[in-house]
Amino acid sequence: MSSQLGFGFEQRIREGAVLTLSDFMDGIPESQVPRVFEHHDFKGRSAELGAGTYTVLTDQQVGDNIISSVRVPAGWKVSLFTDPGLQGRSLVLTGDLARLDGEFDDKVSSIKVERN
Ligand SMILES: [Ca+2]
């Protein structure tokens, strides 16, 4: 992927590092960044995810097998995966989803976030 942000995250993605929000937030208004939620209807604990590849989900990203809804602002694409390392079943979102279905609810283990 090409870097529009210029923080050098491509190198860290290749190395398989877990990226944190602070790696990407500089200069991007918070409301324009995708956010994942612990519960349906955008409730519970939540975390903003800047552009990048989250090969595992730490508590900073709400956690593994916990996410139940996702806000995706216009211009973003969020790909959810049921296994770590962008493996397993996948679901691509380009808009808000208030209720993940049974295939993905509490089963998301890695995420790719891109700007369209
Ligand atoms: Ca949940």
Side-chain angles (χ1 to χ4, degrees):
M1 65 187 290
S2 66
S3 168
Q4 299 177 344
L5 303 177
F7 296 121
F9 61 78
E10 290 170 279
Q11 179 65 36
R12 277 172 287 172
I13 290 170
R14 279 198 297 275
E15 293 171 353
V18 176
L19 304 176
T20 62
L21 185 60
S22 60
D23 289 320
F24 303 104
M25 282 303 295
D26 291 349
I28 303 175
E30 291 187 4
S31 61
Q32 295 180 12
V33 176
R35 179 179 281 270
V36 293
F37 294 81
E38 175 184 15
H39 300 315
H40 291 145
D41 301 319
F42 317 114
K43 293 177 180 169
R45 293 192 302 115
S46 68
E48 289 178 332
L49 300 181
T53 301
Y54 303 83
T55 56
V56 298
L57 297 180
T58 68
D59 288 347
Q60 280 183 302
Q61 289 103 30
V62 178
D64 188 33
N65 296 327
I66 287 176
I67 292 167
S68 291
S69 58
V70 185
R71 280 206 187 280
V72 183
W76 291 81
K77 180 167 79 173
V78 174
S79 303
L80 308 175
F81 298 85
T82 56
D83 293 336
L86 309 184
Q87 301 294 310
R89 294 188 306 278
S90 62
L91 176 66
V92 176
L93 304 177
T94 54
D96 292 353
L97 184 59
R99 188 166 285 260
L100 293 182
D101 68 19
E103 268 197 297
F104 292 92
D105 188 30
D106 292 344
K107 291 173 183 171
V108 174
S109 294
S110 58
I111 300 177
K112 186 174 184 180
V113 178
E114 302 164 272
R115 304 188 80 171
N116 280 338

